[in-house]
Amino acid sequence: MNVTETSLSGVFLIEPRVFPDDRGFFFESYNRERFRAAGIPDEFVQDNHSRSKKNVVRGLHYQEPNGQGKLVRCARGAIFDVAVDLRSGKWIGVELSDQNNRMLWVPRGYAHGFCALTEADLVYKCTDYYAPQSERTIIWNDPDIAIKWPIAEADAIVSDKDLAGVRLRDAVMPTLV
């Protein structure tokens, strides 16, 4: 497993060791000991799976209180995955796909969102339970963050709930313990 810290402190790109053969492939998507050794000490309490059509944009989501760290991977298709540091507004975007098998570790204190580049299945582990009363959304196209999404804004398919997101400057900031 290759773990690389991104330009955002605490956000890691994880590339598992893949064992392909004529039947397909195998890789270990999570091993607590290896993740802890790489600097990702969190325990996971919930797994989620979402399917999105091409051009669906989800996010930018976080919880406050009850912040969640997320270990994200694309099990089918391809996504442009984004983590936003809520303190600075800086962001990182990476392609995760069923071809590259990469994962992104998004710690508490960061908002998370993605754009489906194809029809895609996203699976992710969370360090805290989903708490609807704590759910927060920053608008996906906040000009202060200026994410360079790989699709035209007119082509984005965004839920009404996500369209009601606030700008970062109006967001409830997370409490990091």
Side-chain angles (χ1 to χ4, degrees):
M1 176 176 70
N2 185 30
V3 179
T4 308
E5 189 164 23
T6 68
S7 60
L8 296 180
S9 178
V11 177
F12 295 96
L13 184 62
I14 301 150
E15 298 173 284
R17 189 169 170 209
V18 180
F19 300 93
D21 63 25
D22 58 345
R23 302 167 297 164
F25 69 86
F26 170 85
F27 73 89
E28 190 174 75
S29 61
Y30 177 71
N31 178 306
R32 185 172 67 182
E33 297 293 321
R34 288 193 174 112
F35 275 65
R36 281 188 176 168
I40 303 169
D42 291 283
E43 296 289 333
F44 297 101
V45 298
Q46 179 177 320
D47 283 4
N48 298 323
H49 184 145
S50 72
R51 176 167 291 159
S52 298
K53 296 177 182 177
K54 181 179 178 178
N55 293 340
V56 164
V57 175
R58 296 185 189 256
L60 303 161
H61 301 140
Y62 68 104
Q63 288 190 174
E64 176 54 36
N66 308 311
Q68 294 175 306
K70 296 177 182 176
L71 179 62
V72 182
R73 85 182 162 88
C74 185
R76 183 175 71 94
I79 65 168
F80 179 72
D81 203 49
V82 174
V84 178
D85 185 332
L86 294 170
R87 298 161 294 192
S88 67
K90 293 180 180 175
W91 63 276
I92 183 90
V94 297
E95 185 174 321
L96 305 180
S97 74
D98 61 5
Q99 297 298 303
N100 66 26
N101 297 307
R102 296 152 101 195
M103 295 175 274
L104 191 67
W105 164 246
V106 182
R108 288 182 312 122
Y110 289 79
H112 173 257
F114 69 92
C115 171
L117 303 173
T118 65
E119 184 171 289
D121 283 13
L122 183 75
V123 293
Y124 55 103
K125 302 176 103 37
C126 299
T127 61
D128 204 343
Y129 297 103
Y130 172 67
Q133 72 280 6
S134 298
E135 184 176 33
R136 308 282 186 236
T137 303
I138 295 169
I139 189 74
W140 72 282
N141 58 355
D142 184 336
D144 294 332
I145 301 172
I147 296 169
K148 292 178 178 64
W149 295 99
I151 63 168
E153 192 164 333
D155 294 334
I157 302 167
V158 185
S159 72
D160 289 341
K161 184 173 120 182
D162 285 354
L163 286 173
V166 300
R167 292 185 58 179
L168 178 63
R169 65 182 174 205
D170 301 320
V172 175
M173 287 295 114
T175 305
L176 299 176
V177 181

